[in-house]
Structure formats: C-alpha cells, structure tokens
Amino acid sequence: MMMATIPLAAAVFATAAPSIHAFMLSPSPPSLLAPSSLASTSLNMNKRTKRGGGGGGGGFGKKVTNVNIKTKKTKPKNPNFVYAGTLRPHDQSPTRLVDPDAVLAIPDYAIDGVPKKRGSSYDIEIKSPEDITKMRAAGKAAREVLDIGGSLVKAGVTTDEIDAAVHAACIERWCYPSPLNYRKFPKSCCTSVNEVICHGIPDMRPLEDGDVINIDITVYLDGYHGDCSEMFAVGGRDALDENGRKLIQTTYDCWVQSMELVKPGVDYNVIGKSIQEYVNLKGYSTVRAFCGHGIGQVFHTAPNIYHYTVNQPLDEMKPGHVFTIEPMICEGLHDPYMWPDDWTATTVDGKRSAQFEHTLLVTEDGVEALTGKLESSPLQFWEEESTIRKGKWLGTSDNARGRAEELNSSKVETK
C-alpha cells in the first residue's frame, strides 16, 4: 500500500506530515471509540468530512466473532462528480471488525484511525536480526493472504467478497489487516480495478471478464507490517485484450528489472530511473503522485521509493534496509484523479493502470522479497513470458536464487 509522494525540495517525509501528503487526505479529528462501543453487529458508520468533525468506522471490537454484514448505501459527496472512466462506486458493506484477542497485536490506529508511531523523516532504519525474523513472518503471511484473495478473482465475484476472504485469512493467521481504519480506510485490503491507480475500496460491483484488478494486501503480525500487491486478469489471459496484456507485462517487467538492481552500495535513485526509462520506451507513463516506502513496525517510513527519474543523489542502500517497490504504470496520463470518497485514485483520462509490489530486504549479497511467492502460489502468464527473468522472482541473493530455482522447477497451474 503506497503513500503520496512529497516533492524532494520539501525535505520532509510523508508519514511525518498530518496533512494531504499522507494518501492525499486532509486530516480529521480522532474519533476514539471504546471497544465496548464497537462490539455490535449494528454499525452506524459516519462518513468523515474533509474538515471538522465526524468519525469513521472503528477498526476493531472486543469479542466480536460474527458481524451482520448489510449493504450500506453510499452516495458521492458531489452528485455532479464527473468520472474519468467507466467504473463507478457501488454499495459497500459495513466495516468488518476484529476481535483484539484473535490477533497477536493491533496497530496504534486501530480504534481512532490515527497512526501515532512515526518513523524517521530521513534516517533509514537498519533492521536487527530479530526485526528481520518477524518481518519474514509478516511477509509470508501477507503472501498467503494475497494468494487467497487472488484465487477468488473471476467474473461475478465482487471485490467485497474478496475483502471478506482477505479479512478472514488475516485473522486465521493472527494478523490484523493493516489497511483497516488506517486514516479511516474502511476495508481490509485495496482492490483497484481497470482505471483505478490505487486505494480502490472493495464494494458490491461484480467483476467482469476482461477486467484487470490489483489486490493490495498488508498485514500486521506481532508488531510488524508485511506489504505486497499483484495484478490479476479476470477470465485469465484469453479474456484480456492485447493492450491489457501488454500493460501488465510491461508493469511486471519494469518492476522486476528495478528490483534486480537492489544491492548494498547502490543509490536509491536507480530504481525510478530504471522504471521510467523502461516504460517510456514502450509508450507508458509512471505515476509520480504515489511512492514506495520503508516499512517495519511503522506502516510507512523512510525511505521514499520514487518510481520515476530523480536527477539527484538519494540515500545509499545498506544491508538491513527494508522497503517496498510498487510502480503504478498507466496506458495514458500518469496524473491521479480522486473520487469523492477521498481514497480512490483513478487515471485522469480513464485509461487503465497496473501495479505490483513486494516488501524487500537488502542483504549482504543482493536483495530478497520478504513477500515472495510460495510453492503453492500460481505462476502467472506475465511471469512465464517475462523478458527480464522468467518464473517466480524471489530476489537476487544466493539464497533467493536457489529457492526460486526450486520453485520454478515445479510449476503451479497458471491462472
């Protein structure tokens, strides 16, 4: 799950600012709800306003095991809002709750939606061996949840159904779904369909053959976040038009190419330069308004990972750095166009967008994907047809290359 990009001249990190920099949202006062007030199956969810009062759904409730999900009618703030593409918001179910006894830990924003832990604005944390062990566990759990969500992608399934499965899968793994109530986000994952660049809110719209969808999963396990996302083609390769296949393939290949460059001693600016040069040559654009980020005990922290060319030195990669690379690549213009829900960012011209994401660990001999695919993870057509590196990509370290070779020798059915 990405964050909004800050101009470099601002010299301030996104998560340190309580304003529009964080997910392009304006702040609202916290609505602190006691657990007892949340342990109800009849939810009265107030829409947050751009300024002033109002609250949002509480992130968890004490001893809630069954939630009566009823469709909630939602209306745009501006009934005259002009949408850029063909997608429209549909009804949403009430926010799903989490029993705090059912997870190992809850993040500090779970009740009131306000993150309180702040990572450094400048210094990139070098994770300790204990940190890395816990982040490996969070990354593996995130991958398992993403595979479960992706397995449901087919025509007629709603993104709300995917969110329900993701929510349940998180709890089964003792994880809190990190997006839930983060700055009042109402769901447990992001589902971005067709022209949606990022932060799509799961709703009751049934998926259609030929749709492309990004499922973005972050889990909070034992005090650490693991973050990943992947594209899925509804109906598979044959249901997708040629331009859609090219968009996903280009996005995947530019992503893998940029990750192949990660190793100690390399400047972080090589990531964006590699991505922009690759996609521009193929006629696509890379989104600048959102970026990758450091991650650990804090959801979003240093460094900012820019997915476009930055013509100045940035920080140097070091063993123990953990961050995401998550380029958003567009068929047309890269500018985001915000829906009235203050979350959903679409392309300004209504053309499609695609994205992939891993949580990455810099090692002494390269990089490893902490959210890398498992033996049970399906192999997608863009992995089989990649011109950068075919098969499941797990990293460049000797350990990662060895594991990938084993996984790729026993293929799981391609979706």
Side-chain angles (χ1 to χ4, degrees), residues 2-274:
M2 75 299 301
M3 54 192 285
T5 300
I6 306 293
L8 290 177
V12 78
F13 190 70
T15 55
S19 65
I20 196 168
H21 298 317
F23 297 96
M24 303 185 77
L25 285 177
S26 55
S28 63
S31 175
L32 187 61
L33 302 178
S36 61
S37 70
L38 293 172
S40 169
T41 58
S42 177
L43 301 180
N44 180 18
M45 309 297 291
N46 295 319
K47 290 282 288 182
R48 63 179 292 282
T49 57
K50 281 208 167 186
R51 299 181 185 276
F60 68 92
K62 185 70 172 176
K63 299 295 183 186
V64 176
T65 56
N66 294 296
V67 178
N68 181 21
I69 301 299
K70 294 183 178 179
T71 300
K72 179 183 65 172
K73 300 295 184 181
T74 56
K75 295 181 179 180
K77 295 178 182 177
N78 178 4
N80 298 317
F81 182 79
V82 177
Y83 292 90
T86 59
L87 204 67
R88 298 291 184 272
H90 283 57
D91 294 338
Q92 294 175 20
S93 62
T95 295
R96 296 175 173 88
L97 307 183
V98 175
D99 177 354
D101 288 346
V103 296
L104 291 182
I106 58 172
D108 60 9
Y109 53 81
I111 294 178
D112 61 9
V114 180
K116 299 158 191 70
K117 286 184 179 179
R118 302 292 187 185
S120 172
S121 299
Y122 310 102
D123 297 327
I124 304 172
E125 180 184 13
I126 295 178
K127 301 294 193 289
S128 70
E130 181 183 1
D131 292 331
I132 292 170
T133 296
K134 291 191 173 185
M135 292 210 68
R136 286 188 188 280
K140 182 175 183 290
R143 165 51 56 185
E144 291 173 349
V145 173
L146 178 55
D147 287 352
I148 288 170
S151 71
L152 297 179
V153 172
K154 63 180 180 180
V157 173
T158 67
T159 51
D160 184 76
E161 290 176 273
I162 293 173
D163 182 75
V166 163
H167 186 91
C170 287
I171 305 305
E172 287 171 2
R173 289 159 179 77
W174 297 89
C175 300
Y176 181 94
S178 301
L180 183 61
N181 211 33
Y182 182 84
R183 300 188 185 275
K184 309 296 173 68
F185 188 79
K187 294 295 179 182
S188 297
C189 67
C190 299
T191 52
S192 301
V193 179
N194 295 338
E195 69 264 27
V196 179
I197 295 172
C198 60
H199 302 157
I201 300 175
D203 63 20
M204 297 298 184
R205 176 190 179 270
L207 294 172
E208 301 175 2
D209 281 333
D211 283 345
V212 296
I213 176 174
N214 176 273
I215 301 178
D216 193 339
I217 301 295
T218 313
V219 304
Y220 186 71
L221 177 63
D222 199 16
Y224 290 80
H225 298 275
D227 193 0
C228 55
S229 83
E230 187 173 350
M231 294 301 297
F232 299 91
V234 182
R237 189 185 196 283
D238 293 341
L240 192 57
D241 63 279
E242 182 179 356
N243 287 337
R245 292 194 294 269
K246 288 174 60 179
L247 171 66
I248 294 179
Q249 191 69 64
T250 299
T251 304
Y252 179 78
D253 284 346
C254 82
W255 177 58
V256 171
Q257 178 176 276
S258 71
M259 293 189 295
E260 287 275 311
L261 300 174
V262 175
K263 62 181 179 180
V266 171
D267 193 294
Y268 277 97
N269 64 13
V270 305
I271 296 171
K273 184 175 187 294
S274 169

Side-chain angles (χ1 to χ4, degrees), residues 190-388:
C190 299
T191 52
S192 301
V193 179
N194 295 338
E195 69 264 27
V196 179
I197 295 172
C198 60
H199 302 157
I201 300 175
D203 63 20
M204 297 298 184
R205 176 190 179 270
L207 294 172
E208 301 175 2
D209 281 333
D211 283 345
V212 296
I213 176 174
N214 176 273
I215 301 178
D216 193 339
I217 301 295
T218 313
V219 304
Y220 186 71
L221 177 63
D222 199 16
Y224 290 80
H225 298 275
D227 193 0
C228 55
S229 83
E230 187 173 350
M231 294 301 297
F232 299 91
V234 182
R237 189 185 196 283
D238 293 341
L240 192 57
D241 63 279
E242 182 179 356
N243 287 337
R245 292 194 294 269
K246 288 174 60 179
L247 171 66
I248 294 179
Q249 191 69 64
T250 299
T251 304
Y252 179 78
D253 284 346
C254 82
W255 177 58
V256 171
Q257 178 176 276
S258 71
M259 293 189 295
E260 287 275 311
L261 300 174
V262 175
K263 62 181 179 180
V266 171
D267 193 294
Y268 277 97
N269 64 13
V270 305
I271 296 171
K273 184 175 187 294
S274 169
I275 290 169
Q276 182 168 342
E277 288 181 353
Y278 189 91
V279 302
N280 284 174
L281 284 173
K282 294 183 177 292
Y284 298 99
S285 64
T286 177
V287 172
R288 295 167 176 251
F290 300 97
C291 64
H293 51 88
I295 188 170
Q297 291 176 291
V298 178
F299 199 166
H300 302 97
T301 184
N304 279 351
I305 303 299
Y306 301 98
H307 304 120
Y308 58 91
T309 300
V310 175
N311 292 315
Q312 68 182 65
L314 299 176
D315 289 293
E316 184 180 286
M317 299 176 194
K318 296 179 181 179
H321 285 184
V322 179
F323 56 91
T324 69
I325 297 180
E326 43 185 311
M328 292 139 277
I329 307 304
C330 303
E331 289 180 316
L333 300 174
H334 62 73
D335 307 282
Y337 185 64
M338 299 301 299
W339 277 10
D341 60 24
D342 289 333
W343 279 103
T344 307
T346 75
T347 57
V348 72
D349 54 12
K351 295 185 178 180
R352 289 172 295 190
S353 180
Q355 179 190 23
F356 290 89
E357 176 185 13
H358 270 322
T359 295
L360 302 167
L361 166 68
V362 181
T363 64
E364 294 287 349
D365 60 342
V367 64
E368 293 185 16
L370 299 181
T371 49
K373 286 197 165 183
L374 308 171
E375 185 176 0
S376 58
S377 302
L379 185 69
Q380 304 284 11
F381 75 78
W382 44 84
E383 294 169 312
E384 290 187 301
E385 300 174 14
S386 175
T387 59
I388 305 301

